[in-house]
Amino acid sequence: MLITVSIYVVMLKPQNYIKFFILLIVILLSSWLIYIKIKLSAYNLEVKRQSIEIKNLYGVDIHYRYTPESFFPHDRLGRGSQAWLKHIRTTLPLVENFLSKYPREVIRKNLSALFLLGTLEFNGKSYGGTYIDSAIYISTGAWFRYSDSSLLGSMHAEFSSILFHKYEFPKQEWETVNKPSWRYLGSGFDMLGRREIYDQTDELRQNGFLQGYSQASLEEDFNVFVEWTFTKPDRLRKLGSQYERIRKKYQLVIEFYKSIDPKIDIPRITPDTERGEKASP
């Protein structure tokens, strides 16, 4: 075929070269567009199927066709963008993984919807995730999808805030773990955009914080512990064996979740880490 085309090109008159190559480019572009259309159609069918399965199993509505009116009907500060269909397709299995860690009755009682976006902003600041009432909003990323661990962590963290406000969280016990003179800095919004939110220093851990962002508020501190509990349990258990304040907060997370429902699939502290040892100064 290639030889035939080559011979045909040689036989063409010089003035017809441009016409031939324009025709070839049109054919290639048309073929590529047809392929993309077929691929997107397949993605769309799979996303619909996954969304229906999630709705049937857990009662959670999956929203992924972005419009400001449907995503933020009562919040003018919320902004977002349409997520790539291929990102949605690969994120939905993570949504199922996230939901599977909780008994279905816990999900049905506390989570009504999950909104998937490309980007997510409030009042000019970018968010990886947030919650409104009983709904979770997750940014999957703009051009490149966030990692599985990051997306799963955001889902668990945002859901933990819903549970934090709906059930009796042991705030006093949590505050007691911190140093007597410690005061949280304000809110997660105040911390966004600051480089130190990603800090993971020995001083932070000695004080019972997993990373800089944990210092924003008690709720954000709790959110980070929940995120690590479900996505970095081995690392968290190791830190719990080294830092007493981290171990105590980790234990409070487990007790809180088990008080909601003993069947929640949350990693427990092993006997070795329950003993805990303070890290050397």
Side-chain angles (χ1 to χ4, degrees):
M1 180 64 181
L2 182 60
I3 296 174
T4 304
V5 172
S6 300
I7 293 173
Y8 178 69
V9 171
V10 171
M11 292 174 63
L12 284 174
K13 294 179 180 181
Q15 62 266 31
N16 292 327
Y17 283 164
I18 294 177
K19 291 182 180 180
F20 173 79
F21 282 112
I22 289 175
L23 178 61
L24 184 61
I25 290 171
V26 169
I27 293 172
L28 290 174
L29 283 175
S30 298
S31 300
W32 180 76
L33 289 173
I34 291 172
Y35 169 78
I36 293 298
K37 187 175 181 179
I38 293 172
K39 199 74 172 176
L40 288 176
S41 178
Y43 282 172
N44 193 45
L45 287 174
E46 188 171 354
V47 166
K48 283 184 177 179
R49 178 189 61 78
Q50 290 174 313
S51 300
I52 290 171
E53 287 182 356
I54 289 171
K55 173 67 174 178
N56 290 338
L57 279 173
Y58 298 98
V60 177
D61 290 311
I62 304 296
H63 301 273
Y64 57 89
R65 298 192 183 280
Y66 176 75
T67 63
E69 297 78 17
S70 62
F71 274 52
F72 305 105
H74 307 298
D75 195 331
R76 296 181 180 180
L77 297 178
R79 294 288 185 274
S81 66
Q82 176 62 47
W84 290 89
L85 196 57
K86 65 177 182 179
H87 291 174
I88 298 169
R89 171 178 167 267
T90 55
T91 300
L92 286 176
L94 299 178
V95 173
E96 293 189 73
N97 180 294
F98 151 65
L99 295 172
S100 70
K101 301 300 180 182
Y102 307 88
R104 293 180 189 176
E105 54 268 30
V106 171
I107 295 295
R108 289 181 177 274
K109 187 185 298 183
N110 299 289
L111 184 62
S112 61
L114 195 150
F115 293 81
L116 297 175
L117 307 92
T119 57
L120 174 63
E121 293 183 3
F122 280 91
N123 204 20
K125 289 191 177 185
S126 297
Y127 282 63
T130 190
Y131 70 98
I132 298 176
D133 298 326
S134 62
I136 291 175
Y137 291 72
I138 299 295
S139 167
T140 61
W143 291 99
F144 301 97
R145 187 177 76 93
Y146 293 130
S147 68
D148 289 359
S149 177
S150 175
L151 290 169
L152 272 173
S154 293
M155 293 176 207
H156 284 292
E158 299 310 324
F159 188 49
S160 75
S161 278
I162 293 175
L163 299 177
F164 178 89
H165 290 286
K166 189 165 183 179
Y167 296 89
E168 190 173 346
F169 184 80
K171 294 181 181 179
Q172 186 60 48
E173 290 89 334
W174 191 280
E175 291 272 16
T176 302
V177 176
N178 294 329
K179 288 183 175 180
S181 59
W182 171 257
R183 295 295 180 272
Y184 287 101
L185 305 181
S187 69
F189 182 82
D190 296 326
M191 289 286 289
L192 289 175
R194 295 166 60 171
R195 295 180 62 182
E196 60 265 32
I197 67 174
Y198 301 108
D199 288 351
Q200 297 181 29
T201 65
D202 182 68
E203 182 181 1
L204 281 170
R205 291 167 178 170
Q206 290 279 5
N207 291 333
F209 303 111
L210 294 173
Q211 60 188 62
Y213 184 67
S214 304
Q215 302 172 98
S217 71
L218 191 155
E219 184 176 342
E220 267 77 19
D221 192 6
F222 167 65
N223 291 160
V224 175
F225 265 87
V226 171
E227 178 180 343
W228 282 47
T229 297
F230 284 101
T231 62
K232 307 173 187 177
D234 293 336
R235 186 176 178 189
L236 183 52
R237 278 192 288 263
K238 183 177 180 181
L239 291 176
S241 69
Q242 297 174 308
Y243 301 91
E244 184 180 15
R245 287 191 172 94
I246 287 179
R247 177 180 61 82
K248 288 181 177 179
K249 287 183 177 179
Y250 184 23
Q251 186 64 49
L252 286 173
V253 169
I254 294 172
E255 290 173 359
F256 175 64
Y257 272 70
K258 292 299 183 181
S259 72
I260 296 171
D261 193 311
K263 297 188 291 296
I264 293 178
D265 184 15
I266 186 169
R268 286 183 173 276
I269 296 178
T270 64
D272 287 340
T273 57
E274 280 179 352
R275 288 196 292 272
E277 295 179 1
K278 292 183 181 180
S280 57

